Amino acid sequence: MITMTGRAIRRWWPLFVFPTLAAFLMGFIVPLIAGIYLSFTKFTTITDAVWVGFDNYRRAFQDNEFAHAFIYTVEFTIVTTILINVAAFFVAYMFTKAMAGAKLFRSIFFMPNLIGGIVLGYIWQLLLNGVLAHWNISLTYNSKLGFWGMVILVCWQQIGYMMVIYIAGLQNVPNDLIEAAEVDGASPRQVLFNITLPMMMPSITVCSFLTVTNGFKMFDQNLALTNGAPSNTSELLALNIYRTFYSRPGFEGVGQAKAVVFLILVSIIAILQNWLTTSKETQA
Amino acid sequence: MNTKIKHGPFWTTLFAIISLAWIFPIVLVLINSFKKKVFISTDTFKLPTGKMNAGLSNYTDGIAKTSFFSSFLWSLIITLGTVVFILICTSMCAWWIVRVNTVFAKFIYVFFLLDMIVPFQMVMYPLSKLADMSNLNTPWGLWFIYLGFGAGLPVFIFTGVVKSIPQEIEEAAMIDGASTLRTFFTIVVPMMKPTIISVAILETMWVWNDYLLPYLTLDMQRFKTIPITIQYLRGGYGTVDMGAMMACLVLAIIPIMIFYVLCQKYIIGGIAAGAVKG
């Protein structure tokens, strides 16, 4: 049904919709379609693209570094998602109770989020290499060190962000529900696991969704902290794809094929995970 | 939430210690920015005393080497322009989509949602070529590209808000003779103000810190942003000048910290509101 406002503004579309839509076509839809097309071609400058069918995909799947980056990214995402969410929930839980200084602590925990990934990477490179210097090694000694270095960095960055979302969620849990449970003799542990956590499912959905997609899309921090060293073994997927495009001449099409695989992967995870966690959401 | 349970001084002390440790990485960079470069990697955890002290020379070197202030200015122009542009365009677009509500409006809405999942790597190569070919490799061209690539989330958030605004108010204004534009800017926009602030903060954090999109699209001979400048310092000089690096890191952190202190209330509130709605 079209409302009165709707009728009045419908013909105003050149002003209201066109700028965003034009930018969207130019900045998203056209490159997306071009990207899908290019993944089936061999090219160096886009205009010289020659159709090669699934050849790029075959080469992408035969690339051992791509397989390594894939497993490395999955491990990284699982570890960071668990650590960040557990820590952020704990901190949020502590800070919603009356505690002296809680407001100040909140601002401090959130602060790293404002610093960009490149800068964060170099901050932690300094600190972690300073510590590792005691054993005469650095972050690029092996891919395990790079892995845990990135885990520490990302936890430091994102715990505060997820904490803010959890605090908002905790404040929405109705007080009378908890009081009723306490009157009925529920222990604090029972209240947490049987009332608070189920009521918090929307926040848990949002936070786990964000941490999973952040883990998969991680790029800047990886580039700055280890740059893939030693010999590309600390590369996450996004950096691996970037390098395939820009530092391996003749592999542009393969890079684009990897990007399509990456897109499909991220979409499946997003849909699956959203479906899994929203199905557990509870109404008061 | 139950606020009757109180945490005693033990927890306050514990979190005070954790908070200090939380700030430590930034303090460490600050300390090292005053050290001579040879001591930064050998004596990372020592204070810049005696022969280690470099005074302000790292800062003067770093600024000269990278023309830091020009990248600061480009970062500022790109961020401010993009955020203003995104706020105006996507809020108008969201109002139109919700109120017109035709099949076409619903179709473009679903289209916009699509871009929240797509990773940048997917469009990175064609987008950077397209930007070069169409002369969008300038800061103002970037406003347009950011609007296009980032439209999904703000359109999604704004449509959610518009749906909660009672139409009767808009209709009343129109019956009283207000034009469409006037109705939008004097009736709808004020009611969306908290959301506009949330979106502005989210977009500011994204654009100011973004590295790859400006790096791939901007004409590097003429324009560099702060993240690009920092990355250049690493890549362009063979052995890295750690002193200049530390100074530039500190200079990169200062503006965002000022922004944080000034708008802290809105930033934390905005993130919470954005997440709960999104």
Side-chain angles (χ1 to χ4, degrees):
Chain A
M1 195 197 87
I2 295 183
T3 59
M4 177 189 154
T5 339
R7 269 197 304 277
I9 67 173
R10 200 170 171 177
R11 64 193 169 82
W12 283 84
W13 67 269
L15 189 65
F16 279 82
V17 184
F18 184 72
T20 314
L21 199 57
F24 187 66
L25 286 173
M26 179 88 183
F28 182 71
I29 298 294
V30 171
L32 181 69
I33 293 167
I36 294 171
Y37 166 72
L38 286 172
S39 74
F40 294 103
T41 63
K42 191 173 171 54
F43 64 95
T44 47
T45 56
I46 286 191
T47 40
D48 63 355
V50 181
W51 187 268
V52 293
F54 281 93
D55 196 45
N56 291 327
Y57 289 88
R58 191 179 51 75
R59 287 167 74 192
F61 283 115
Q62 282 170 353
D63 182 351
N64 287 333
E65 283 182 6
F66 186 56
H68 177 271
F70 174 74
I71 296 166
Y72 196 74
T73 308
V74 171
E75 289 171 347
F76 175 77
T77 306
I78 293 172
V79 171
T80 51
T81 301
I82 295 171
L83 285 179
I84 292 170
N85 281 286
V86 170
F89 187 86
F90 171 73
V91 178
Y93 186 71
M94 296 305 292
F95 290 173
T96 38
K97 308 282 172 65
M99 186 205 296
K103 261 212 169 104
L104 180 67
F105 301 149
R106 266 190 224 184
S107 335
I108 290 173
F109 275 92
F110 184 79
M111 179 195 61
N113 278 289
L114 289 134
I115 306 170
I118 293 284
V119 179
L120 286 177
Y122 290 119
I123 293 176
W124 278 92
Q125 197 179 49
L126 174 79
L127 176 55
L128 295 171
N129 277 339
V131 174
L132 291 171
H134 287 279
W135 294 276
N136 279 318
I137 50 173
S138 73
L139 268 172
T140 51
Y141 180 73
N142 64 34
S143 67
K144 280 270 165 293
L145 286 178
F147 182 89
W148 290 106
M150 274 190 288
V151 168
I152 294 172
L153 187 165
V154 169
C155 284
W156 185 67
Q157 181 189 7
Q158 290 182 15
I159 284 173
Y161 196 98
M162 303 307 153
M163 170 199 76
V164 167
I165 299 174
Y166 280 129
I167 288 176
L170 279 165
Q171 281 163 346
N172 284 335
V173 177
N175 237 333
D176 40 356
L177 210 63
I178 292 168
E179 275 166 13
E182 279 168 351
V183 170
D184 291 345
S187 68
R189 178 184 289 265
Q190 281 175 320
V191 171
L192 174 64
F193 282 98
N194 297 331
I195 295 176
T196 312
L197 274 179
M199 292 297 293
M200 288 284 289
M201 277 322 279
S203 306
I204 296 172
T205 306
V206 171
C207 287
S208 54
F209 175 77
L210 287 175
T211 38
V212 169
T213 45
N214 286 348
F216 261 89
K217 293 179 182 176
M218 180 76 57
F219 179 84
D220 296 11
Q221 292 88 333
N222 191 192
L223 180 73
L225 194 69
T226 65
N227 197 13
S231 43
N232 302 347
T233 52
S234 69
E235 267 179 358
L236 294 169
L237 271 175
L239 184 59
N240 179 275
I241 294 168
Y242 174 81
R243 289 262 186 84
T244 313
F245 271 118
Y246 293 101
S247 10
R248 291 169 80 178
F251 277 75
E252 289 86 356
V254 183
Q256 194 58 60
K258 285 180 178 178
V260 173
V261 174
F262 188 41
L263 166 66
I264 295 170
L265 205 72
V266 173
S267 314
I268 292 173
I269 293 167
I271 293 165
L272 202 70
Q273 199 229 3
N274 221 326
W275 175 74
L276 265 178
T277 34
T278 42
S279 66
K280 290 199 177 68
E281 281 180 14
T282 320
Q283 293 293 312
Chain B
M1 194 56 209
N2 192 347
T3 48
K4 272 187 300 185
I5 305 170
K6 288 186 169 61
H7 295 306
F10 166 76
W11 289 105
T12 300
T13 319
L14 182 73
F15 276 104
I17 295 166
I18 298 175
S19 296
L20 284 179
W22 211 256
I23 310 175
F24 179 70
I26 294 171
V27 177
L28 192 69
V29 172
L30 187 69
I31 291 171
N32 279 283
S33 70
F34 295 106
K35 268 184 215 164
K36 287 192 183 131
K37 49 191 160 196
V38 285
F39 298 105
I40 292 174
S41 40
T42 54
D43 300 272
T44 314
F45 297 104
K46 290 187 182 140
L47 286 169
T49 48
K51 65 179 165 70
M52 280 191 247
N53 196 324
L56 287 173
S57 67
N58 288 331
Y59 286 87
T60 46
D61 283 0
I63 290 168
K65 224 174 198 172
T66 58
S67 49
F68 189 88
F69 292 122
S70 107
S71 16
F72 175 79
L73 213 61
W74 288 125
S75 269
L76 201 66
I77 291 171
I78 291 169
T79 308
L80 279 179
T82 302
V83 172
V84 170
F85 203 46
I86 285 183
L87 287 177
I88 295 175
C89 292
T90 58
S91 62
M92 289 172 87
C93 185
W95 190 51
W96 193 89
I97 287 176
V98 175
R99 292 296 181 242
V100 169
N101 202 24
T102 54
V103 178
F104 175 70
K106 284 174 188 156
F107 175 74
I108 56 174
Y109 175 66
V110 174
F111 235 41
F112 279 124
L113 292 190
L114 203 70
D115 105 334
M116 287 197 281
I117 306 181
V118 176
F120 182 63
Q121 274 71 19
M122 182 59 216
V123 298
M124 144 177 101
Y125 197 86
L127 180 61
S128 61
K129 297 290 169 199
L130 204 65
D132 274 344
M133 286 190 283
S134 45
N135 289 323
L136 288 171
N137 54 3
T138 57
W140 25 100
L142 216 53
W143 299 348
F144 189 69
I145 292 178
Y146 268 122
L147 170 66
F149 186 71
L153 185 70
V155 168
F156 176 66
I157 296 177
F158 281 132
T159 47
V161 182
V162 173
K163 279 177 193 159
S164 70
I165 296 176
Q167 310 194 31
E168 290 75 15
I169 304 177
E170 294 160 19
E171 282 167 12
M174 284 184 166
I175 290 167
D176 288 347
S179 67
T180 307
L181 270 183
R182 191 160 163 185
T183 309
F184 180 75
F185 283 105
T186 58
I187 309 287
V188 182
V189 169
M191 285 196 280
M192 295 202 293
K193 201 178 143 203
T195 315
I196 289 175
I197 295 173
S198 312
V199 174
I201 287 160
L202 285 172
E203 302 296 319
T204 306
M205 283 169 59
W206 171 45
V207 178
W208 179 268
N209 290 322
D210 196 21
Y211 165 72
L212 203 48
L213 198 151
Y215 175 69
L216 292 176
T217 42
L218 278 183
D219 177 357
M220 283 297 128
Q221 306 296 320
R222 293 152 68 200
F223 316 107
K224 286 194 187 79
T225 62
I226 291 178
I228 294 170
T229 299
I230 299 223
Q231 185 60 18
Y232 255 61
L233 208 52
R234 190 73 190 183
Y237 293 89
T239 49
V240 190
D241 181 344
M242 284 298 270
M245 184 79 183
M246 291 303 130
C248 285
L249 288 179
V250 172
L251 291 175
I253 297 170
I254 289 171
I256 203 79
M257 284 299 144
I258 294 172
F259 173 69
Y260 188 40
V261 171
L262 291 180
C263 328
Q264 203 188 33
K265 185 175 84 179
Y266 298 105
I267 292 172
I268 293 193
I271 301 295
V276 173
K277 283 198 188 71

